């Protein structure tokens, strides 16, 4: 855990920011998602978690970042990823995460 006291002149560490497709979310997050952190998207089925992730991956790829998609819910569909702007040939896809097989 990193605690920074700005009253003592300390500054926050500088991280790259990857914008989300939501202007309101970017405003709330201070520009987007910080690199070097883990982000969890949680919600009920069919609310757009995978689509949001694909769009964020596409933005990260535009910035030259290497991206990985962990397909835990069997929600990876290459055509949907491509339609969201993801370069699937450079995407690291990890499947069968957590299975007992």
């Amino acid at each position: 855990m990193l605690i920074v006291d700005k009253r003592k002149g300390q500054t926050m560490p500088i991280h790259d920011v990857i914008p989300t497709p939501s202007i309101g979310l970017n405003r709330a997050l201070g520009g987007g998602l910080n690199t070097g952190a883990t982000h969890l998207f949680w919600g009920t089925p069919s609310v757009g978690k995978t689509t949001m992730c694909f769009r964020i991956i596409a933005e990260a790829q535009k910035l030259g970042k290497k991206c990985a998609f962990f397909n835990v819910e069997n929600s990876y569909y290459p055509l949907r990823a491509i339609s969201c702007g993801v370069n699937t040939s450079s995407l690291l896809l990890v499947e069968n995460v957590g299975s007992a097989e």
Side-chain angles (χ1 to χ4, degrees):
M1 173 187 254
L2 174 66
I3 299 174
V4 178
D5 188 352
K6 290 187 178 183
R7 296 172 295 180
K8 294 181 180 176
Q10 296 175 335
T11 58
M12 293 290 291
I14 298 173
H15 294 284
D16 291 334
V17 175
I18 300 169
T20 70
S22 168
I23 294 170
L25 185 56
N26 288 340
R27 187 174 297 132
L29 294 173
L33 301 174
N34 287 331
T35 59
T38 301
H39 303 282
L40 173 68
F41 292 89
W42 178 84
T44 57
S46 300
V47 295
K49 299 180 298 288
T50 302
T51 302
M52 174 72 89
C53 288
F54 284 154
R55 294 192 183 262
I56 293 169
I57 288 170
E59 289 296 323
Q61 287 179 333
K62 287 178 191 174
L63 296 173
K65 305 291 183 191
K66 292 182 181 181
C67 300
F69 186 88
F70 292 82
N71 190 20
V72 179
E73 296 180 339
N74 296 322
S75 59
Y76 177 75
Y77 299 102
L79 293 178
R80 186 175 359 154
I82 291 168
S83 71
C84 290
V86 174
N87 178 356
T88 55
S89 63
S90 67
L91 180 67
L92 173 62
L93 178 63
V94 181
E95 296 193 272
N96 297 325
V97 175
S99 69
E101 298 177 320

